[in-house]
Amino acid sequence: MMTAMLATGGNPSSVHARGRQARQTVERARAKIATALNCKPQEIIFTSGGTESNNTALRNNRAKSLILSAIEHDSVRAAAAVSGLPVSIVPVDRHGLVDMAALEKMLGESEMPVLVSIMLANNETGVIQPIAAIASLVHEKGGLLHCDAVQAFGKIAVDFRTLGADFMSISAHKLGGPHGVGALVIRESVPGSALIVGGGQELGRRSGTENLAGIAGFGAAVEIAVADLSGYAKLAAFRDRLENEIAVIAPEAQFFGAGVARLANTSCFAVPGLAGETQVMAMDIAGICVSSGSACSSGKVTPSHVIAAMAADGKSLSGSAIRVSLGWQTVAEDIDLLVKAWREHYQRSRTRSTQRAVE
Ligand code: PLP
């Protein structure tokens, strides 16, 4: 699909035959994504990915103030910081769920209209927020809701109408599609202007020639991902086995978000005193890719603000947490390999700290 689009090319805004063909490709992908999300095609604007979608929602609205949860992705946090609007941060509980009483209080104290930004599923823990209940509360108080659904879409059912958000960000590469393409869904009744201006593409809400091959690939990937959500849910059995085996090796391990609804593919855990960065390196040597904290473009790893926000001792554990993301291709042997490599690393680290204590 993408190779064909790269070969034929065409500018979706051109009126000649090649351009009309390209337009059809873009609109077909838009229709597929709209069907998957239960929204109208004209509510979807294509962007360069989740980061641009989040920036557009947070920096291009009529809000007078912003409320974010303490565990939002850096693209939401950084966009809020440069928005020029007053920003309040709503805490989460030890499971990583938004504190609804605190949110209600903040809504009462915020200058209206307020834009609230709360993600559907967290990228480090997979914890899923009760977005429909949050949307009702936000609307009741006269605010608007932006939901970063980048991690959730393609992994669980995401219904724009049922969730009730006014803005929603999605990204292709998180569901098996190409990098560098995403979308912002904007409720039809929400008046909008554009963050990126120019030729007036995407109903005037995001200028720039559309990424034809990327959009075609996005549409195809969405169709494939949403057709097998129940297959994806089965990854939870691998994830649970992984966590059970880690708990046997290290009874002091903490599993973040394990007590609440979370994505099937995500496990985030920490062992006090066992640095996240060295775990990542040890797993890398064993040929396994895991992450710790949030990696920025320089590759520098910073302690996780998500873990720091979740637990009373979160600050001390934020440098120890690692996250394991299982994928569509994960098989039982991958879990065995990870458990073996992690056990060896854990035992080596414990032996070293015992030796240090003796010396
Ligand atoms: N939001 C969340 C929750 C993410 O996990 C990511 C990427 O990891 C983004 C936004 C940014 O998306 P993109 O990489 O498409 O810019």
PDB file of all heavy atoms in Angstrom, residues 47-54 71-76 119-124 148-152 169-174 178-182 323, ligand 1:
ATOM      1  N   THR A  47      -1.980  14.768  10.952  1.00  0.00           N
ATOM      2  CA  THR A  47      -0.835  15.542  11.447  1.00  0.00           C
ATOM      3  C   THR A  47       0.434  14.698  11.239  1.00  0.00           C
ATOM      4  O   THR A  47       0.366  13.605  10.686  1.00  0.00           O
ATOM      5  CB  THR A  47      -0.980  15.810  12.962  1.00  0.00           C
ATOM      6  OG1 THR A  47      -0.946  14.542  13.648  1.00  0.00           O
ATOM      7  CG2 THR A  47      -2.283  16.526  13.301  1.00  0.00           C
ATOM      8  N   SER A  48       1.545  15.192  11.770  1.00  0.00           N
ATOM      9  CA  SER A  48       2.802  14.429  11.651  1.00  0.00           C
ATOM     10  C   SER A  48       2.960  13.435  12.793  1.00  0.00           C
ATOM     11  O   SER A  48       4.001  12.786  12.895  1.00  0.00           O
ATOM     12  CB  SER A  48       3.990  15.392  11.633  1.00  0.00           C
ATOM     13  OG  SER A  48       4.054  16.080  12.872  1.00  0.00           O
ATOM     14  N   GLY A  49       1.977  13.328  13.689  1.00  0.00           N
ATOM     15  CA  GLY A  49       2.072  12.336  14.774  1.00  0.00           C
ATOM     16  C   GLY A  49       1.447  12.844  16.062  1.00  0.00           C
ATOM     17  O   GLY A  49       0.854  13.939  16.112  1.00  0.00           O
ATOM     18  N   GLY A  50       1.615  12.050  17.106  1.00  0.00           N
ATOM     19  CA  GLY A  50       1.014  12.378  18.396  1.00  0.00           C
ATOM     20  C   GLY A  50       1.531  13.689  18.969  1.00  0.00           C
ATOM     21  O   GLY A  50       0.763  14.461  19.557  1.00  0.00           O
ATOM     22  N   THR A  51       2.796  13.961  18.786  1.00  0.00           N
ATOM     23  CA  THR A  51       3.379  15.191  19.344  1.00  0.00           C
ATOM     24  C   THR A  51       2.719  16.420  18.726  1.00  0.00           C
ATOM     25  O   THR A  51       2.320  17.351  19.437  1.00  0.00           O
ATOM     26  CB  THR A  51       4.911  15.205  19.089  1.00  0.00           C
ATOM     27  OG1 THR A  51       5.468  14.077  19.763  1.00  0.00           O
ATOM     28  CG2 THR A  51       5.545  16.481  19.589  1.00  0.00           C
ATOM     29  N   GLU A  52       2.575  16.419  17.407  1.00  0.00           N
ATOM     30  CA  GLU A  52       1.927  17.573  16.758  1.00  0.00           C
ATOM     31  C   GLU A  52       0.455  17.657  17.153  1.00  0.00           C
ATOM     32  O   GLU A  52      -0.072  18.760  17.390  1.00  0.00           O
ATOM     33  CB  GLU A  52       2.056  17.478  15.229  1.00  0.00           C
ATOM     34  CG  GLU A  52       1.485  18.723  14.552  1.00  0.00           C
ATOM     35  CD  GLU A  52       1.392  18.610  13.041  1.00  0.00           C
ATOM     36  OE1 GLU A  52       2.291  18.014  12.420  1.00  0.00           O
ATOM     37  OE2 GLU A  52       0.392  19.117  12.494  1.00  0.00           O
ATOM     38  N   SER A  53      -0.218  16.514  17.244  1.00  0.00           N
ATOM     39  CA  SER A  53      -1.635  16.528  17.623  1.00  0.00           C
ATOM     40  C   SER A  53      -1.797  17.124  19.023  1.00  0.00           C
ATOM     41  O   SER A  53      -2.681  17.965  19.261  1.00  0.00           O
ATOM     42  CB  SER A  53      -2.210  15.111  17.594  1.00  0.00           C
ATOM     43  OG  SER A  53      -2.080  14.574  16.294  1.00  0.00           O
ATOM     44  N   ASN A  54      -0.941  16.703  19.949  1.00  0.00           N
ATOM     45  CA  ASN A  54      -1.025  17.235  21.314  1.00  0.00           C
ATOM     46  C   ASN A  54      -0.723  18.728  21.342  1.00  0.00           C
ATOM     47  O   ASN A  54      -1.399  19.501  22.024  1.00  0.00           O
ATOM     48  CB  ASN A  54      -0.059  16.478  22.235  1.00  0.00           C
ATOM     49  CG  ASN A  54      -0.576  15.086  22.569  1.00  0.00           C
ATOM     50  OD1 ASN A  54      -1.756  14.799  22.390  1.00  0.00           O
ATOM     51  ND2 ASN A  54       0.298  14.226  23.050  1.00  0.00           N
ATOM     52  N   ILE A  71       0.691  12.720  34.957  1.00  0.00           N
ATOM     53  CA  ILE A  71       1.385  11.619  34.257  1.00  0.00           C
ATOM     54  C   ILE A  71       1.313  11.760  32.741  1.00  0.00           C
ATOM     55  O   ILE A  71       1.522  10.795  32.023  1.00  0.00           O
ATOM     56  CB  ILE A  71       0.787  10.262  34.686  1.00  0.00           C
ATOM     57  CG1 ILE A  71      -0.732  10.231  34.442  1.00  0.00           C
ATOM     58  CG2 ILE A  71       1.099   9.968  36.153  1.00  0.00           C
ATOM     59  CD1 ILE A  71      -1.330   8.840  34.485  1.00  0.00           C
ATOM     60  N   GLU A  72       1.001  12.984  32.263  1.00  0.00           N
ATOM     61  CA  GLU A  72       0.875  13.162  30.804  1.00  0.00           C
ATOM     62  C   GLU A  72       2.232  12.993  30.114  1.00  0.00           C
ATOM     63  O   GLU A  72       3.298  13.182  30.725  1.00  0.00           O
ATOM     64  CB  GLU A  72       0.292  14.543  30.489  1.00  0.00           C
ATOM     65  CG  GLU A  72      -1.147  14.723  30.930  1.00  0.00           C
ATOM     66  CD  GLU A  72      -2.100  13.666  30.366  1.00  0.00           C
ATOM     67  OE1 GLU A  72      -2.105  13.451  29.146  1.00  0.00           O
ATOM     68  OE2 GLU A  72      -2.827  13.055  31.171  1.00  0.00           O
ATOM     69  N   HIS A  73       2.173  12.690  28.834  1.00  0.00           N
ATOM     70  CA  HIS A  73       3.376  12.566  28.005  1.00  0.00           C
ATOM     71  C   HIS A  73       4.062  13.931  27.911  1.00  0.00           C
ATOM     72  O   HIS A  73       3.402  14.972  27.973  1.00  0.00           O
ATOM     73  CB  HIS A  73       2.956  12.086  26.607  1.00  0.00           C
ATOM     74  CG  HIS A  73       4.098  11.749  25.711  1.00  0.00           C
ATOM     75  ND1 HIS A  73       4.593  12.616  24.759  1.00  0.00           N
ATOM     76  CD2 HIS A  73       4.856  10.632  25.625  1.00  0.00           C
ATOM     77  CE1 HIS A  73       5.590  12.038  24.110  1.00  0.00           C
ATOM     78  NE2 HIS A  73       5.771  10.828  24.613  1.00  0.00           N
ATOM     79  N   ASP A  74       5.375  13.907  27.704  1.00  0.00           N
ATOM     80  CA  ASP A  74       6.136  15.157  27.615  1.00  0.00           C
ATOM     81  C   ASP A  74       5.604  16.102  26.537  1.00  0.00           C
ATOM     82  O   ASP A  74       5.734  17.317  26.662  1.00  0.00           O
ATOM     83  CB  ASP A  74       7.620  14.855  27.343  1.00  0.00           C
ATOM     84  CG  ASP A  74       8.343  14.478  28.628  1.00  0.00           C
ATOM     85  OD1 ASP A  74       7.813  14.772  29.723  1.00  0.00           O
ATOM     86  OD2 ASP A  74       9.432  13.880  28.538  1.00  0.00           O
ATOM     87  N   SER A  75       5.026  15.565  25.472  1.00  0.00           N
ATOM     88  CA  SER A  75       4.528  16.446  24.402  1.00  0.00           C
ATOM     89  C   SER A  75       3.338  17.269  24.886  1.00  0.00           C
ATOM     90  O   SER A  75       3.096  18.375  24.391  1.00  0.00           O
ATOM     91  CB  SER A  75       4.153  15.640  23.153  1.00  0.00           C
ATOM     92  OG  SER A  75       3.232  14.612  23.461  1.00  0.00           O
ATOM     93  N   VAL A  76       2.590  16.760  25.869  1.00  0.00           N
ATOM     94  CA  VAL A  76       1.495  17.537  26.468  1.00  0.00           C
ATOM     95  C   VAL A  76       2.079  18.519  27.482  1.00  0.00           C
ATOM     96  O   VAL A  76       1.724  19.712  27.496  1.00  0.00           O
ATOM     97  CB  VAL A  76       0.479  16.577  27.147  1.00  0.00           C
ATOM     98  CG1 VAL A  76      -0.469  17.331  28.073  1.00  0.00           C
ATOM     99  CG2 VAL A  76      -0.308  15.811  26.087  1.00  0.00           C
ATOM    100  N   MET A 119      -4.773  11.645  29.489  1.00  0.00           N
ATOM    101  CA  MET A 119      -4.536  10.577  28.517  1.00  0.00           C
ATOM    102  C   MET A 119      -5.457   9.391  28.756  1.00  0.00           C
ATOM    103  O   MET A 119      -5.925   9.169  29.879  1.00  0.00           O
ATOM    104  CB  MET A 119      -3.071  10.154  28.565  1.00  0.00           C
ATOM    105  CG  MET A 119      -2.677   9.504  29.848  1.00  0.00           C
ATOM    106  SD  MET A 119      -0.887   9.599  30.258  1.00  0.00           S
ATOM    107  CE  MET A 119      -0.055   9.508  28.720  1.00  0.00           C
ATOM    108  N   LEU A 120      -5.696   8.622  27.687  1.00  0.00           N
ATOM    109  CA  LEU A 120      -6.526   7.422  27.850  1.00  0.00           C
ATOM    110  C   LEU A 120      -5.706   6.302  28.488  1.00  0.00           C
ATOM    111  O   LEU A 120      -6.112   5.737  29.510  1.00  0.00           O
ATOM    112  CB  LEU A 120      -7.100   7.000  26.488  1.00  0.00           C
ATOM    113  CG  LEU A 120      -7.996   5.762  26.462  1.00  0.00           C
ATOM    114  CD1 LEU A 120      -9.087   5.810  27.511  1.00  0.00           C
ATOM    115  CD2 LEU A 120      -8.616   5.590  25.075  1.00  0.00           C
ATOM    116  N   ALA A 121      -4.544   5.978  27.919  1.00  0.00           N
ATOM    117  CA  ALA A 121      -3.687   4.941  28.520  1.00  0.00           C
ATOM    118  C   ALA A 121      -2.276   5.491  28.649  1.00  0.00           C
ATOM    119  O   ALA A 121      -1.768   6.130  27.718  1.00  0.00           O
ATOM    120  CB  ALA A 121      -3.672   3.685  27.655  1.00  0.00           C
ATOM    121  N   ASN A 122      -1.684   5.248  29.801  1.00  0.00           N
ATOM    122  CA  ASN A 122      -0.354   5.801  30.044  1.00  0.00           C
ATOM    123  C   ASN A 122       0.728   5.018  29.295  1.00  0.00           C
ATOM    124  O   ASN A 122       0.683   3.783  29.241  1.00  0.00           O
ATOM    125  CB  ASN A 122      -0.058   5.826  31.546  1.00  0.00           C
ATOM    126  CG  ASN A 122       1.274   6.479  31.839  1.00  0.00           C
ATOM    127  OD1 ASN A 122       2.282   5.803  31.981  1.00  0.00           O
ATOM    128  ND2 ASN A 122       1.290   7.794  31.867  1.00  0.00           N
ATOM    129  N   ASN A 123       1.712   5.740  28.781  1.00  0.00           N
ATOM    130  CA  ASN A 123       2.756   5.107  27.976  1.00  0.00           C
ATOM    131  C   ASN A 123       3.773   4.345  28.816  1.00  0.00           C
ATOM    132  O   ASN A 123       4.511   3.522  28.285  1.00  0.00           O
ATOM    133  CB  ASN A 123       3.480   6.150  27.104  1.00  0.00           C
ATOM    134  CG  ASN A 123       3.850   7.391  27.866  1.00  0.00           C
ATOM    135  OD1 ASN A 123       2.991   8.042  28.459  1.00  0.00           O
ATOM    136  ND2 ASN A 123       5.111   7.731  27.874  1.00  0.00           N
ATOM    137  N   GLU A 124       3.837   4.579  30.124  1.00  0.00           N
ATOM    138  CA  GLU A 124       4.817   3.840  30.942  1.00  0.00           C
ATOM    139  C   GLU A 124       4.179   2.679  31.696  1.00  0.00           C
ATOM    140  O   GLU A 124       4.797   1.643  31.885  1.00  0.00           O
ATOM    141  CB  GLU A 124       5.509   4.792  31.922  1.00  0.00           C
ATOM    142  CG  GLU A 124       6.362   5.812  31.193  1.00  0.00           C
ATOM    143  CD  GLU A 124       7.190   6.686  32.103  1.00  0.00           C
ATOM    144  OE1 GLU A 124       7.611   6.218  33.172  1.00  0.00           O
ATOM    145  OE2 GLU A 124       7.400   7.858  31.746  1.00  0.00           O
ATOM    146  N   ASP A 148      -5.271  12.289  25.128  1.00  0.00           N
ATOM    147  CA  ASP A 148      -4.167  11.710  24.364  1.00  0.00           C
ATOM    148  C   ASP A 148      -4.397  10.192  24.336  1.00  0.00           C
ATOM    149  O   ASP A 148      -4.162   9.499  25.317  1.00  0.00           O
ATOM    150  CB  ASP A 148      -2.851  12.073  25.069  1.00  0.00           C
ATOM    151  CG  ASP A 148      -1.631  11.439  24.414  1.00  0.00           C
ATOM    152  OD1 ASP A 148      -1.807  10.525  23.587  1.00  0.00           O
ATOM    153  OD2 ASP A 148      -0.506  11.848  24.740  1.00  0.00           O
ATOM    154  N   ALA A 149      -4.885   9.723  23.180  1.00  0.00           N
ATOM    155  CA  ALA A 149      -5.193   8.287  23.044  1.00  0.00           C
ATOM    156  C   ALA A 149      -4.121   7.569  22.230  1.00  0.00           C
ATOM    157  O   ALA A 149      -4.358   6.490  21.674  1.00  0.00           O
ATOM    158  CB  ALA A 149      -6.561   8.111  22.399  1.00  0.00           C
ATOM    159  N   VAL A 150      -2.929   8.185  22.164  1.00  0.00           N
ATOM    160  CA  VAL A 150      -1.843   7.649  21.328  1.00  0.00           C
ATOM    161  C   VAL A 150      -1.508   6.201  21.688  1.00  0.00           C
ATOM    162  O   VAL A 150      -1.342   5.354  20.814  1.00  0.00           O
ATOM    163  CB  VAL A 150      -0.602   8.575  21.438  1.00  0.00           C
ATOM    164  CG1 VAL A 150       0.664   7.890  20.927  1.00  0.00           C
ATOM    165  CG2 VAL A 150      -0.842   9.869  20.668  1.00  0.00           C
ATOM    166  N   GLN A 151      -1.401   5.915  22.985  1.00  0.00           N
ATOM    167  CA  GLN A 151      -1.027   4.550  23.375  1.00  0.00           C
ATOM    168  C   GLN A 151      -2.198   3.582  23.292  1.00  0.00           C
ATOM    169  O   GLN A 151      -2.003   2.383  23.114  1.00  0.00           O
ATOM    170  CB  GLN A 151      -0.481   4.540  24.816  1.00  0.00           C
ATOM    171  CG  GLN A 151       0.930   5.057  24.940  1.00  0.00           C
ATOM    172  CD  GLN A 151       1.958   4.133  24.296  1.00  0.00           C
ATOM    173  OE1 GLN A 151       1.743   2.934  24.133  1.00  0.00           O
ATOM    174  NE2 GLN A 151       3.088   4.706  23.909  1.00  0.00           N
ATOM    175  N   ALA A 152      -3.405   4.084  23.460  1.00  0.00           N
ATOM    176  CA  ALA A 152      -4.573   3.201  23.575  1.00  0.00           C
ATOM    177  C   ALA A 152      -5.109   2.740  22.216  1.00  0.00           C
ATOM    178  O   ALA A 152      -5.504   1.580  22.067  1.00  0.00           O
ATOM    179  CB  ALA A 152      -5.681   3.920  24.342  1.00  0.00           C
ATOM    180  N   SER A 169      -5.960  12.798  20.441  1.00  0.00           N
ATOM    181  CA  SER A 169      -4.746  12.585  19.634  1.00  0.00           C
ATOM    182  C   SER A 169      -4.510  11.103  19.406  1.00  0.00           C
ATOM    183  O   SER A 169      -4.655  10.293  20.333  1.00  0.00           O
ATOM    184  CB  SER A 169      -3.514  13.143  20.370  1.00  0.00           C
ATOM    185  OG  SER A 169      -3.688  14.508  20.649  1.00  0.00           O
ATOM    186  N   ILE A 170      -4.096  10.767  18.183  1.00  0.00           N
ATOM    187  CA  ILE A 170      -3.728   9.379  17.862  1.00  0.00           C
ATOM    188  C   ILE A 170      -2.462   9.397  16.992  1.00  0.00           C
ATOM    189  O   ILE A 170      -2.129  10.433  16.394  1.00  0.00           O
ATOM    190  CB  ILE A 170      -4.874   8.613  17.131  1.00  0.00           C
ATOM    191  CG1 ILE A 170      -5.344   9.378  15.889  1.00  0.00           C
ATOM    192  CG2 ILE A 170      -6.034   8.332  18.078  1.00  0.00           C
ATOM    193  CD1 ILE A 170      -6.387   8.627  15.058  1.00  0.00           C
ATOM    194  N   SER A 171      -1.767   8.273  16.944  1.00  0.00           N
ATOM    195  CA  SER A 171      -0.514   8.209  16.189  1.00  0.00           C
ATOM    196  C   SER A 171      -0.399   6.844  15.511  1.00  0.00           C
ATOM    197  O   SER A 171      -0.728   5.819  16.116  1.00  0.00           O
ATOM    198  CB  SER A 171       0.661   8.423  17.153  1.00  0.00           C
ATOM    199  OG  SER A 171       1.888   8.280  16.481  1.00  0.00           O
ATOM    200  N   ALA A 172       0.091   6.846  14.257  1.00  0.00           N
ATOM    201  CA  ALA A 172       0.119   5.591  13.478  1.00  0.00           C
ATOM    202  C   ALA A 172       1.129   4.580  14.003  1.00  0.00           C
ATOM    203  O   ALA A 172       0.849   3.390  14.063  1.00  0.00           O
ATOM    204  CB  ALA A 172       0.419   5.906  12.010  1.00  0.00           C
ATOM    205  N   HIS A 173       2.322   5.050  14.416  1.00  0.00           N
ATOM    206  CA  HIS A 173       3.375   4.059  14.711  1.00  0.00           C
ATOM    207  C   HIS A 173       3.107   3.277  15.989  1.00  0.00           C
ATOM    208  O   HIS A 173       3.710   2.240  16.216  1.00  0.00           O
ATOM    209  CB  HIS A 173       4.774   4.694  14.705  1.00  0.00           C
ATOM    210  CG  HIS A 173       5.103   5.603  15.840  1.00  0.00           C
ATOM    211  ND1 HIS A 173       5.894   5.217  16.884  1.00  0.00           N
ATOM    212  CD2 HIS A 173       4.770   6.891  16.083  1.00  0.00           C
ATOM    213  CE1 HIS A 173       6.046   6.234  17.721  1.00  0.00           C
ATOM    214  NE2 HIS A 173       5.367   7.255  17.258  1.00  0.00           N
ATOM    215  N   LYS A 174       2.173   3.760  16.814  1.00  0.00           N
ATOM    216  CA  LYS A 174       1.862   3.031  18.043  1.00  0.00           C
ATOM    217  C   LYS A 174       0.933   1.843  17.772  1.00  0.00           C
ATOM    218  O   LYS A 174       0.687   1.040  18.660  1.00  0.00           O
ATOM    219  CB  LYS A 174       1.212   3.961  19.073  1.00  0.00           C
ATOM    220  CG  LYS A 174       2.127   5.056  19.539  1.00  0.00           C
ATOM    221  CD  LYS A 174       3.300   4.478  20.317  1.00  0.00           C
ATOM    222  CE  LYS A 174       4.263   5.582  20.707  1.00  0.00           C
ATOM    223  NZ  LYS A 174       5.480   5.042  21.319  1.00  0.00           N
ATOM    224  N   PRO A 178       3.079   3.470  10.000  1.00  0.00           N
ATOM    225  CA  PRO A 178       4.350   4.168   9.771  1.00  0.00           C
ATOM    226  C   PRO A 178       4.636   5.281  10.794  1.00  0.00           C
ATOM    227  O   PRO A 178       3.708   5.814  11.408  1.00  0.00           O
ATOM    228  CB  PRO A 178       4.170   4.766   8.374  1.00  0.00           C
ATOM    229  CG  PRO A 178       2.693   4.854   8.182  1.00  0.00           C
ATOM    230  CD  PRO A 178       2.069   3.759   8.980  1.00  0.00           C
ATOM    231  N   HIS A 179       5.890   5.623  10.935  1.00  0.00           N
ATOM    232  CA  HIS A 179       6.275   6.750  11.793  1.00  0.00           C
ATOM    233  C   HIS A 179       5.973   8.062  11.076  1.00  0.00           C
ATOM    234  O   HIS A 179       5.943   8.127   9.850  1.00  0.00           O
ATOM    235  CB  HIS A 179       7.773   6.693  12.105  1.00  0.00           C
ATOM    236  CG  HIS A 179       8.140   5.530  12.976  1.00  0.00           C
ATOM    237  ND1 HIS A 179       8.492   4.313  12.470  1.00  0.00           N
ATOM    238  CD2 HIS A 179       8.169   5.402  14.316  1.00  0.00           C
ATOM    239  CE1 HIS A 179       8.745   3.482  13.470  1.00  0.00           C
ATOM    240  NE2 HIS A 179       8.548   4.113  14.605  1.00  0.00           N
ATOM    241  N   GLY A 180       5.769   9.116  11.873  1.00  0.00           N
ATOM    242  CA  GLY A 180       5.643  10.455  11.290  1.00  0.00           C
ATOM    243  C   GLY A 180       4.276  10.776  10.739  1.00  0.00           C
ATOM    244  O   GLY A 180       4.132  11.675   9.901  1.00  0.00           O
ATOM    245  N   VAL A 181       3.255  10.072  11.201  1.00  0.00           N
ATOM    246  CA  VAL A 181       1.884  10.429  10.801  1.00  0.00           C
ATOM    247  C   VAL A 181       0.949  10.114  11.966  1.00  0.00           C
ATOM    248  O   VAL A 181       1.126   9.156  12.700  1.00  0.00           O
ATOM    249  CB  VAL A 181       1.458   9.715   9.484  1.00  0.00           C
ATOM    250  CG1 VAL A 181       1.500   8.211   9.595  1.00  0.00           C
ATOM    251  CG2 VAL A 181       0.057  10.159   9.031  1.00  0.00           C
ATOM    252  N   GLY A 182      -0.019  10.988  12.158  1.00  0.00           N
ATOM    253  CA  GLY A 182      -0.997  10.817  13.229  1.00  0.00           C
ATOM    254  C   GLY A 182      -2.216  11.647  12.901  1.00  0.00           C
ATOM    255  O   GLY A 182      -2.391  12.079  11.752  1.00  0.00           O
ATOM    256  N   ARG A 323      10.061  -0.460  31.933  1.00  0.00           N
ATOM    257  CA  ARG A 323       8.793  -0.869  31.325  1.00  0.00           C
ATOM    258  C   ARG A 323       9.076  -1.829  30.181  1.00  0.00           C
ATOM    259  O   ARG A 323      10.012  -1.646  29.401  1.00  0.00           O
ATOM    260  CB  ARG A 323       7.958   0.328  30.915  1.00  0.00           C
ATOM    261  CG  ARG A 323       8.218   0.873  29.573  1.00  0.00           C
ATOM    262  CD  ARG A 323       7.209   1.978  29.230  1.00  0.00           C
ATOM    263  NE  ARG A 323       7.720   2.776  28.142  1.00  0.00           N
ATOM    264  CZ  ARG A 323       8.573   3.764  28.290  1.00  0.00           C
ATOM    265  NH1 ARG A 323       9.029   4.096  29.484  1.00  0.00           N
ATOM    266  NH2 ARG A 323       8.995   4.442  27.238  1.00  0.00           N
TER     267      ARG A 323
HETATM  268  N1  PLP B   1       1.560  10.616  23.618  1.00  0.00           N
HETATM  269  C1  PLP B   1       1.909   9.434  24.133  1.00  0.00           C
HETATM  270  C2  PLP B   1       1.113   8.875  25.273  1.00  0.00           C
HETATM  271  C3  PLP B   1       2.998   8.720  23.613  1.00  0.00           C
HETATM  272  O1  PLP B   1       3.354   7.551  24.142  1.00  0.00           O
HETATM  273  C4  PLP B   1       3.720   9.286  22.531  1.00  0.00           C
HETATM  274  C5  PLP B   1       4.885   8.618  21.967  1.00  0.00           C
HETATM  275  O2  PLP B   1       5.514   7.770  22.545  1.00  0.00           O
HETATM  276  C6  PLP B   1       3.295  10.530  22.020  1.00  0.00           C
HETATM  277  C7  PLP B   1       2.221  11.164  22.590  1.00  0.00           C
HETATM  278  C8  PLP B   1       4.023  11.169  20.868  1.00  0.00           C
HETATM  279  O3  PLP B   1       3.618  10.556  19.665  1.00  0.00           O
HETATM  280  P1  PLP B   1       4.529  10.635  18.352  1.00  0.00           P
HETATM  281  O4  PLP B   1       5.714   9.754  18.599  1.00  0.00           O
HETATM  282  O5  PLP B   1       3.646  10.126  17.253  1.00  0.00           O
HETATM  283  O6  PLP B   1       4.913  12.061  18.167  1.00  0.00           O
END
